[in-house]
Each structure stands twice: as C-alpha cells, then as structure tokens.
Amino acid sequence: MKRTRHRESASRQAPVGQAGAFTPDAISVRPRALEVGGEWVASFAVTGYPREVHPGWLQPLLTYPGRVDVSLHIEPIDPVTAANRLKKQLSKLESGRRHTSDKGRLIDPQVEAATEDAYDLSARVARGEGKLYRLGLYLTVHAATEEALGDEVAAIRSLAASLLLDCKPTTYRSLQGWITSLPMGLDLVGMRRTFDTSALSAAFPFTSPDLPPPDPTSVGAPRGVLYGFNVGSQGLVHHDRFALDNHNSVILGRSGAGKSYLVKLELLRSLYRGIEIHVIDPEDEYARLAAAVGGTYVHLGAEQVRLNPMDLTIHTRPDGRRTAPRDALIRRSLFLHTVISVLLGSELAATDRAALDRAITATYQRAGITSDPRTWTRPAPLLADLAEVLAEAGGADLAARLQPFTTGAFSGLFSGPTTTRPEGHLVVFSLRDLPGELKAIGTLLALDAVWRQVSNPAIRKPRQVVVDEAWLLMKDLAGGEFLLRMSKGSRKWWGGVTVATQDAPDVTSTDLGKAIIANAATQILLRQAPQAIDEICRIFDLSQGERQFLLTADRGQGLLSTGTQRVAFQSIASPVEHQLVTSNPAELAEYSDISPETETSFVDLDAA
C-alpha cells in the first residue's frame, strides 16, 4: 500500500529563512523506500559489527562517491547499570560454556570469543579505563530515480559487507529510518549495540584521506599550490611545501606518467604566489611557458652563450653595491675540482688533485686575483688558462684530457667570459642543444649559477629550483654530491630543490640518491614500471594497495607524501594552463600560436 502525505507549499507555511522553507512539498512512503521531494531514499540499520576495528574504520562509508548519510546515535550507560549488565552477560556465557562442556560437545568458537571479550571489557570497566555506551548506526542512501536507488543500495551493502557490517533495511519503517538519519538527534528505529570507549572512539570519522592543513584552527583559504583532486575523497589537494621542515621535493615517475606536466603545473602556480623559479630544462620543454610569463630563457649550446666556471661568487645588493663571501676564492677552487671531475667523467687521483689545486691558485694569480677581496671583482680567468698553467706545472696529462673542452669540439660553452646573468622571476636553462658529453657539466654550471642567486644574503625571498631529469647529473659522483649539498643547504636560504626523474632506479640504487630522497619533505610518486616497483616499495614503505595503485595509475595520478601523511591525487589544469604545460606533440601541432617565429623570438639572451 502506498501512503502519501502532502504538505502545503513551504512558502505558504513559513517565510524564507525559517525551517518551513526547507521542508519537502510531498513525501511518498513505501515499505523500503521514500520519495522525498522528487528524490528517492532508503535507510538501513547496522545490526552486526566486526570483532576488532581500527581508528577511522567508518571512513570508507564517508568517502563513497555517491550520496550517503551516516548517522551515529550515542547514549551513555551509567556505571552501575553497566556493571550489572556485564555481570548478567558473563553469567549467561559462562553457564553456556559449562553446559556445553558437561554434555561433551565441542565448544562454539563464537561463544568462546565473546566470553573472552566480556571478561576483558568487565575488567577495564571495573578499573575505570573505559565506559559503556549504546550506539545506533544508520545509513540513508539517496538517488535520483527508483532504479538508480536499487543500484546504490546494492553498492552500499557490498561496501558495508567488506567492512564486516551487517545492514538491515528499515522495512515498513522507512520514514522513521529517514528521520533518524537527519541531524535532529531523534532515534526512531532504536536498533542499538553496546560499545566501550575505545571502540566508540574508533567509530568516529576523525581520520581523513585529505592532507591536514598546516593550521587546523585557521578559517582562511587553503595555502600552497593546488595539485589536483583527491582520488579517495574527491576533495582538493592543496600543499604548501614551504610550510614543512624543508622545502625540497622529489618526483619519480616512468616515461609518460605526467611527471613534467605536474612539475610545470606546480611551477606556474608557484609563480602566482610570488616564488622565484629556476629551471634546469634538458629537453627544452619550458620554453613556451617562459615566453608566456615573461621569463628569462638561457639557451646553452647556442652561439655566443657561455658560462665561465671560474667566475667568483659576487653578490649584488639592492643598493647596487657588490659584495662577496669571505671564502669566495676557496669555495670556487673547491668547486673547480668538481667541475674537472664531471668533465673527465671520473674521480681524480691524489697526484692529479694536488697538481690541479696548485694550478687553480696560479691561474687566479696570473689574472691578478689573490686572497685580497679587493681583487675579486677583476675579470676571472678561463678554463683554457687553467689548462695552460696545468701543462706548465707538471699536469700535462690532465691538461691533455681537458683539451676537447678548452680548444676542441666541446669548447664553445667555456671559450669566453660568462655572457648571461640570469635574473628574473622565472629563469630557464635549456640544455637540449648541448652535446651529450656536456649535459652533465651544463647542468652543474646552471645549478652553480642558480645557487649564486639563491645564496645571496642581501635578497631573501622564497625560491624554487627545478632539476628535471636529474639522472643526467647524478650519474657522475661529483655532480650528485653537489646536488646533495644544494638540497641540504637550500632551506637556510628559503629555497627548495625539486628533483624530477623518470629513471627511478638511477636515484634509488645509490647512496647519494637515497640521501637526496631523505632530504625531501615532499615526495611524489607517479606511475612506476613493474621492474622498479619493488625497490620503490622498499624505500618508501608502500602498502600493497599503494603498490597496485602506482602500477595501474593513469597519467597524472600519483601519491603525494609529506612525511606521516600520504594522499592519492589526480592532477588537473585549466585549459589555458594545459596549453602552456602540455608536451603532447599531437596537441602542440593544433595550437595556432606555435610557430617558428614564436620559437626563435626569445632564445639566445646575451647580456654581454
């Protein structure tokens, strides 16, 4: 039988703003469902629970993608009543066990478990370690049509069964079940279960798959960068890396997983916050983005674009004065040891290091640069000058090995003074046109130029350094050590280093790579190759579910880890952002603003 209760129009009963304005025009009551104002609802009462639960065990119900109302009704039981009920329950259970034992029957495992739990609960209540409560758990499912309601009900009951919850429909009490789920504090169904304090506290959905805000008491808008939406809760994932202990980030993902897309998206949105960005771009992927936002583009490998590794670190203050650290000459001498090691592709022997050290000092003295800071603003010598001094001072073999980089085929990058002083809110160092033999040294020199900007004590602002395809530098021991030192020291200068690479084993298989990962408070894992997933799981301590997620993740999906918190997300971009950050050749061919004139109009910046 169908019963229909009609209400007068809400506007006739109460003015807008009062409770009457929110009541439905009609409610159609059926045995197991209701039609409320054009929407179908069905209610359930939970009658069976698992024996053991963990904190936040009801969270899957709250993160269900459909609309489900979860209602908890709690009534405390006074200690005297609780003690009497536990005493009676223990008497029943113990009597049943003895009767079963006297008859020679097998003991029921469920009765045995219930008896043990009752004894444990009775002891905790007697010691005052907990109290008893009556709990009613009710679910109300919403759907647009009656057919859709059946599908939603089946899905919810399956989800509840996976949580070991037994849900019973409120048959012939569908109206009472719906009212019980409303935020009115009325339990018209009355199907309750006794819970102790620990079980009740675990039932509260205080845990969430979303990242907690840095300041939970703040009512302002989320700070940080929008990475995308939460795969588990469909909420938005905001993350402020500058609010953590250190500001470094590591992004690991296989080719085609959306690694560069995510890096460029974070970069663009960080610019909105006034963060200065420096990018090491090995494949010329950031050129269009730099042109769109008015950034500086340094095209390493082009004619008349040079970086002199022997330049001393000179800082320019806001008032125009030029200063240098007290140990600038010593630091530059040590850095040149790293440069030579990366150029030659191997560590130097002790005799070669000694000869190189003497040659570096002699080369600077020939250029008029001594330990007196007043001489440090003089023009710096070149790498060819160092090779000449080496040949004269007994390092002929080392000078011969440097010949391709001083006067040979690879000398273009070092054949003169530095031609560019990269400054601005976005600086991109393109390495695409560098020969493969110069990729590592180009990355190192670009990072050195960036570090001079970041470590300027006269100008303090948040800075972000992006090293895309970091394996190019980390394959050399000296280059990896420089990147590690930069990662450790950037926090002191309000900077953060982003290390992104598609060759995860090259990073995770070395001690340097593991140290760089350990010094990154923000860790992002995108889709991984099956060959690398075991090592990734071991280093990042991933669960089986997270392992499977990384193996099957779509493009742009990944895990964002911030120490104790980890969230699965899907990166999203607006149409304009997508046009600037995508590297899909098919999409790039369709954009009308991609033309040869656009590609060559901002390259080869020469400040000389």
Side-chain angles (χ1 to χ4, degrees):
M1 179 179 295
K2 177 180 178 180
R3 297 182 298 164
T4 305
R5 300 183 182 181
H6 295 281
R7 297 180 182 268
E8 296 183 0
S9 174
S11 60
R12 297 180 182 177
Q13 289 188 351
V16 177
Q18 296 185 7
F22 300 96
T23 56
D25 294 336
I27 299 178
S28 177
V29 182
R30 300 194 177 188
R32 292 195 176 187
L34 290 177
E35 185 179 6
V36 182
E39 183 182 55
W40 289 83
V41 299
S43 300
F44 298 86
V46 178
T47 58
Y49 296 85
R51 181 187 179 191
E52 295 182 359
V53 294
H54 56 82
W57 61 283
L58 288 181
Q59 187 63 37
L61 293 175
L62 299 183
T63 57
Y64 179 74
R67 182 183 173 189
V68 179
D69 297 335
V70 181
S71 177
L72 292 173
H73 293 264
I74 304 168
E75 178 186 354
I77 302 177
D78 65 273
V80 176
T81 304
N84 292 334
R85 290 183 179 180
L86 282 174
K87 184 177 180 180
K88 292 180 180 179
Q89 186 67 17
L90 281 172
S91 299
K92 292 179 182 179
L93 293 173
E94 191 63 36
S95 176
R97 291 178 61 190
R98 293 183 179 181
H99 181 268
T100 301
S101 178
D102 293 341
K103 295 295 183 180
R105 300 171 184 172
L106 294 176
I107 298 177
D108 188 350
Q110 294 185 355
V111 175
E112 189 73 14
T115 304
E116 294 178 2
D117 293 342
Y119 273 114
D120 179 66
L121 179 59
S122 177
R124 284 190 280 116
V125 171
R127 292 194 299 265
E129 296 177 358
K131 297 182 179 180
L132 296 185
Y133 301 85
R134 296 287 292 173
L135 172 71
L137 176 58
Y138 307 98
L139 310 176
T140 297
V141 185
H142 299 253
T145 63
E146 188 174 8
E147 293 76 11
L149 180 64
D151 297 337
E152 293 291 332
V153 165
I156 282 296
R157 298 193 73 171
S158 298
L159 177 60
S162 68
L163 299 175
L164 301 181
L165 295 176
D166 187 12
C167 295
K168 300 296 183 182
T170 55
T171 306
Y172 295 108
R173 290 189 293 174
S174 55
L175 179 61
Q176 289 85 344
W178 175 61
I179 294 176
T180 300
S181 297
L182 294 177
M184 300 170 60
L186 298 176
D187 185 1
L188 304 183
V189 178
M191 299 182 69
R192 300 190 178 186
R193 177 73 173 268
T194 302
F195 272 58
D196 67 325
T197 304
S198 59
L200 178 61
S201 61
F204 277 78
F206 288 151
T207 61
S208 172
D210 294 317
L211 291 177
D215 183 7
T217 63
S218 175
V219 296
R223 297 180 56 191
V225 172
L226 173 64
Y227 281 79
F229 66 86
N230 192 318
V231 175
S233 68
Q234 304 300 308
L236 296 179
V237 178
H238 285 87
H239 176 54
D240 185 6
R241 57 193 290 182
F242 287 90
L244 302 180
D245 296 336
N246 67 68
H247 318 318
N248 299 329
S249 173
V250 171
I251 302 178
L252 303 179
R254 62 178 296 180
S255 178
K259 168 181 56 63
S260 296
Y261 189 97
L262 177 63
V263 172
K264 286 181 280 187
L265 199 60
E266 180 189 9
L267 181 155
L268 183 60
R269 292 171 178 172
S270 296
L271 289 174
Y272 302 155
R273 303 179 58 205
I275 298 175
E276 186 177 297
I277 309 291
H278 300 264
V279 182
I280 312 300
D281 180 13
E283 297 296 338
D284 206 27
E285 296 185 50
Y286 296 78
R288 294 168 47 250
L289 180 60
V293 301
T296 302
Y297 183 81
V298 183
H299 191 176
L300 299 181
E303 294 183 3
Q304 305 302 320
V305 177
R306 298 181 293 271
L307 289 176
N308 183 12
M310 302 193 71
D311 285 339
L312 296 180
T313 302
I314 305 296
H315 295 144
T316 302
R317 301 173 60 90
D319 57 5
R321 294 175 54 195
R322 304 179 69 188
T323 61
R326 296 181 179 180
D327 55 351
L329 185 58
I330 297 177
R331 287 183 177 273
R332 184 51 37 173
S333 299
L334 295 175
F335 175 71
L336 285 172
H337 283 268
T338 302
V339 169
I340 301 303
S341 297
V342 172
L343 279 176
L344 301 182
S346 62
E347 284 293 307
L348 299 179
T351 55
D352 290 337
R353 292 181 65 88
L356 178 60
D357 192 66
R358 292 192 299 268
I360 290 173
T361 303
T363 303
Y364 278 114
Q365 289 177 349
R366 282 190 181 185
I369 299 176
T370 64
S371 58
D372 186 356
R374 292 175 296 180
T375 65
W376 293 352
T377 56
R378 294 174 179 174
L382 303 179
L383 192 63
D385 300 327
L386 176 61
E388 181 181 349
V389 174
L390 270 172
E392 297 174 356
D397 180 68
L398 196 57
R401 295 173 64 185
L402 289 176
Q403 188 272 334
F405 309 102
T406 56
T407 59
F410 305 133
S411 62
L413 188 61
F414 320 102
S415 59
T418 299
T419 58
T420 58
R421 299 295 179 185
E423 296 179 354
H425 58 282
L426 173 62
V427 180
V428 176
F429 292 86
S430 175
L431 310 179
R432 185 183 63 177
D433 292 336
L434 282 177
E437 294 79 0
L438 295 181
K439 292 283 188 180
I441 189 60
T443 303
L444 179 63
L445 294 181
L447 282 176
D448 175 63
V450 169
W451 183 247
R452 299 184 188 201
Q453 299 290 329
V454 173
S455 61
N456 187 352
I459 302 176
R460 291 295 183 95
K461 62 169 61 176
R463 292 182 174 96
Q464 185 175 331
V465 182
V466 178
V467 186
D468 206 347
E469 302 301 345
W471 63 271
L472 292 171
L473 183 63
M474 296 183 62
K475 65 182 181 180
D476 294 306
L477 179 60
E481 290 176 347
F482 181 85
L483 184 59
L484 177 59
R485 291 195 300 269
M486 189 173 182
S487 299
K488 289 183 176 181
S490 60
R491 180 187 62 83
K492 301 176 183 178
W493 303 100
W494 204 3
V497 178
T498 298
V499 176
T501 182
Q502 66 184 19
D503 292 326
D506 289 347
V507 178
T508 58
S509 61
T510 63
D511 293 337
L512 278 176
K514 295 175 183 178
I516 290 175
I517 292 175
N519 278 276
T522 302
Q523 301 166 350
I524 300 177
L525 301 176
L526 303 178
R527 182 169 183 172
Q528 301 294 321
Q531 297 80 2
I533 190 63
D534 291 335
E535 184 70 10
I536 292 292
C537 290
R538 186 183 65 82
I539 292 178
F540 293 93
D541 194 21
L542 302 181
S543 65
Q544 285 296 323
E546 292 167 339
R547 181 183 190 274
Q548 189 63 26
F549 173 75
L550 292 181
L551 286 174
T552 60
D554 294 333
R555 179 176 297 181
Q557 289 185 346
L559 289 176
L560 172 63
S561 176
T562 61
T564 59
Q565 302 293 332
R566 191 174 291 166
V567 60
F569 71 97
Q570 168 71 58
S571 60
I572 54 175
S574 68
V576 175
E577 289 176 326
H578 177 77
Q579 182 176 347
L580 292 176
V581 304
T582 184
S583 57
N584 188 337
E587 294 181 354
L588 293 178
E590 297 177 357
Y591 294 145
S592 59
D593 62 334
I594 302 301
S595 63
E597 291 78 8
T598 304
E599 290 186 351
T600 58
S601 61
F602 50 83
V603 297
D604 298 348
L605 296 179
D606 192 345

